Amino acid sequence: MTGLPDIPRLYTALAEWLACTLYLLALRPRFGRGATAAMSAAWLAGLGAFLQATGKVPLAWWIPCMVTAVAAMFLYIYACCDISARDAGYCCARAFLLAEFAASLEWQLHCMLWPEMSGWQPLALLLMAAVYAAVYGFLYWYEFRRVRQNPVLGITGRALSSAVIMALAAFAVSNFTFAQQGDVTMSVLYTRTLVDFAGVLLLSVQQEQLRETRLHRELEEMDNVLRRQYAQYQQSRESIRLINRQCHDLKLQIAAIRAEKDPGRKAEALEKMETGIQMYEAQNKTGNPVLDTLLTAKSIFCQQHDINFTCVADGHLLDFMPTGDICTLVGTALDNATESVQRLADPEKRLIRTAIYAQHGFVMLRFENYCEEPVPLDADGMPPHGYGIRSVRATAEKYGGTVTVHCEDNWFILRVLVPHKA
């Protein structure tokens, strides 16, 4: 067959830059927009100059040049995205194979339509723009926007090894015919495009499996949180029942003692004891028995651990929720707060404030705890690995509500806003 020109090196540089840019758009940036844009433009210019300068090297130098280009892709992703080196390696393997496929597909179509036309003619440039826009636009719409919703990849060593091996195997097979013949023919382009497409498909399937595994793990963690909260609620309900019984018995004993003897001081002391018991019984009477149980149990826990816990709540606002959802929203949020303040050495800083009130047709649940250092938040506005808060958000979203988290003046604030249903 008649030899055809190989893919222009600048076409390849642009394909690799676009593949890496997909990850820049999907993942959390390491620097600001201006710095990221400047680094991106400089990397594109540098890679284009390198590939253009090495376009005529002998075949023996072709592999080292490709390795250098891949290393540059890795450094670009790792430098611009706030991810680990392992995650950057995985992204690099996928981006490299995606760039190979996009460039090969575009040049195959070019050679089918205009085998004699230069790659720098207006029609050729228009075809390149259309093919690259279709390939990268589809990948971003189908896969990468979901990565943006959960930018923490958490790639394991096994997943990285599998991705690298698959990318190397696809690259080797796709270029095997070219290495044998030394000329570019339509059969070489067909083989290269088909094998690269198969590699991209395999890596996409692997990415989907990794995503499902991660979601399954998060769901298990959330389910464990829910189970623990419900178990704690049941234990707390039984404890509160026993405490109330003891309080009732104690009042009877006080009444009996008062009937037998009535010295002035002892009567005054007994009256104070009775008043204290009545105050304790009236504590955390919000109007919702589930909420009363949770708040009373948490109040007892805070007293035992020198935590200043204050709460103002209208429990009737949560009457439309089942027990499990109340346990998730309130119990999980208070567990996170108590766990956080327990780390503080100064008991005077162990402060927790809770409020549940109506606001413009919504129910606002506000949980605040003192923190000496700001809590880092991911791009989704959640603390990293905060499965508890994610379970709170999932429960709120079930009712069409929202969850916001932020730190302000050494206070960690969790707000849950759900529509009120009478």
Side-chain angles (χ1 to χ4, degrees):
M1 298 182 66
T2 305
L4 298 170
D6 200 358
I7 305 173
R9 305 290 282 177
L10 292 181
Y11 277 36
T12 302
L14 181 60
E16 293 175 353
W17 177 80
L18 289 172
C20 294
T21 301
L22 284 182
Y23 284 99
L24 264 67
L25 296 175
L27 298 174
R28 183 171 54 247
R30 192 180 296 272
F31 306 104
R33 291 185 177 181
T36 302
M39 293 174 64
S40 180
W43 185 84
L44 175 60
L47 182 65
F50 172 76
L51 292 182
Q52 189 69 17
T54 58
K56 302 294 185 179
V57 298
L59 190 61
W61 285 93
W62 180 60
I63 294 296
C65 290
M66 291 301 299
V67 171
T68 303
V70 173
M73 294 176 68
F74 168 79
L75 294 175
Y76 175 47
I77 295 174
Y78 183 62
C80 293
C81 299
D82 188 13
I83 56 177
S84 65
R86 182 181 296 173
D87 289 352
Y90 178 82
C91 296
C92 177
R94 295 203 62 203
F96 171 69
L97 199 56
L98 177 60
E100 287 288 303
F101 166 70
S104 179
L105 175 63
E106 191 282 331
W107 196 244
Q108 177 182 328
L109 294 175
H110 174 94
C111 292
M112 290 174 60
L113 297 173
W114 313 295
E116 304 297 331
M117 182 183 293
S118 167
W120 304 108
Q121 296 295 323
L123 280 177
L125 295 175
L126 183 62
L127 176 66
M128 177 193 66
V131 172
Y132 284 4
V135 172
Y136 293 111
F138 174 78
L139 262 295
Y140 183 82
W141 171 82
Y142 178 75
E143 179 179 341
F144 282 81
R145 62 175 183 171
R146 289 186 293 181
V147 175
R148 189 172 188 176
Q149 296 173 358
N150 190 2
V152 181
L153 297 179
I155 300 299
T156 62
R158 179 176 298 180
L160 174 61
S161 300
S162 300
V164 171
I165 291 174
M166 284 190 286
L168 289 176
F171 175 74
V173 173
S174 66
N175 290 275
F176 179 74
T177 307
F178 170 73
Q180 276 189 324
Q181 298 180 3
D183 292 326
V184 177
T185 63
M186 288 304 299
S187 63
V188 169
L189 293 176
Y190 285 140
T191 302
R192 180 184 293 174
T193 302
L194 182 61
V195 174
D196 287 341
F197 175 73
V200 170
L201 188 61
L202 285 175
L203 288 178
S204 295
V205 171
Q206 183 199 29
Q207 172 65 26
E208 189 67 19
Q209 291 177 341
L210 293 174
R211 190 181 72 87
E212 290 182 357
T213 301
R214 183 171 59 252
L215 289 177
H216 182 69
R217 185 170 60 250
E218 291 181 358
L219 288 176
E220 285 184 345
E221 293 289 341
M222 292 173 61
D223 185 64
N224 291 334
V225 170
L226 298 180
R227 291 179 183 275
R228 287 196 300 268
Q229 287 299 324
Y230 191 73
Q232 290 179 12
Y233 162 72
Q234 291 179 318
Q235 294 173 0
S236 300
R237 184 177 60 179
E238 181 64 20
S239 300
I240 298 303
R241 186 181 65 83
L242 294 175
I243 291 173
N244 288 334
R245 178 184 297 177
Q246 292 176 357
C247 290
H248 179 69
D249 294 342
L250 186 58
K251 285 194 299 182
L252 294 178
Q253 294 174 10
I254 293 172
I257 294 174
R258 177 178 291 172
E260 293 179 0
K261 298 179 181 180
D262 193 14
R265 291 184 178 180
K266 183 172 290 188
E268 183 179 354
L270 290 175
E271 185 177 355
K272 290 181 179 179
M273 290 176 60
E274 188 176 9
T275 302
I277 293 173
Q278 290 174 350
M279 290 177 60
Y280 175 76
E281 287 186 325
Q283 194 176 24
N284 295 322
K285 296 296 183 181
T286 66
N288 185 292
V290 177
L291 185 61
D292 293 345
T293 301
L294 292 173
L295 294 178
T296 302
K298 192 57 64 178
S299 298
I300 296 173
F301 178 88
C302 290
Q303 291 175 9
Q304 294 173 344
H305 294 82
D306 296 325
I307 298 174
N308 188 345
F309 173 62
T310 59
C311 176
V312 178
D314 182 357
H316 290 297
L317 295 173
L318 303 181
D319 287 343
F320 67 94
M321 290 186 182
T323 299
D325 290 345
I326 298 176
C327 290
T328 301
L329 291 177
V330 179
T332 303
L334 291 178
D335 278 353
N336 289 341
T338 53
E339 182 181 350
S340 176
V341 297
Q342 276 185 279
R343 303 191 188 102
L344 301 177
D346 187 356
E348 294 185 358
K349 295 182 178 180
R350 298 174 186 169
L351 306 174
I352 298 177
R353 301 187 303 216
T354 300
I356 301 175
Y357 53 93
Q359 179 175 307
H360 305 300
F362 290 82
V363 180
M364 171 65 79
L365 297 90
R366 183 183 176 104
F367 306 91
E368 304 177 358
N369 64 269
Y370 188 85
C371 58
E372 293 181 334
E373 297 181 359
V375 178
L377 304 178
D378 58 24
D380 206 18
M382 294 287 110
H385 310 296
Y387 296 115
I389 296 183
R390 283 182 168 80
S391 67
V392 171
R393 183 177 64 177
T395 302
E397 290 176 347
K398 185 169 69 173
Y399 296 93
T402 59
V403 172
T404 57
V405 175
H406 74 281
C407 294
E408 179 180 331
D409 297 330
N410 293 109
W411 284 89
F412 178 82
I413 303 173
L414 167 65
R415 292 190 182 94
V416 182
L417 190 67
V418 295
H420 181 246
K421 297 180 181 180

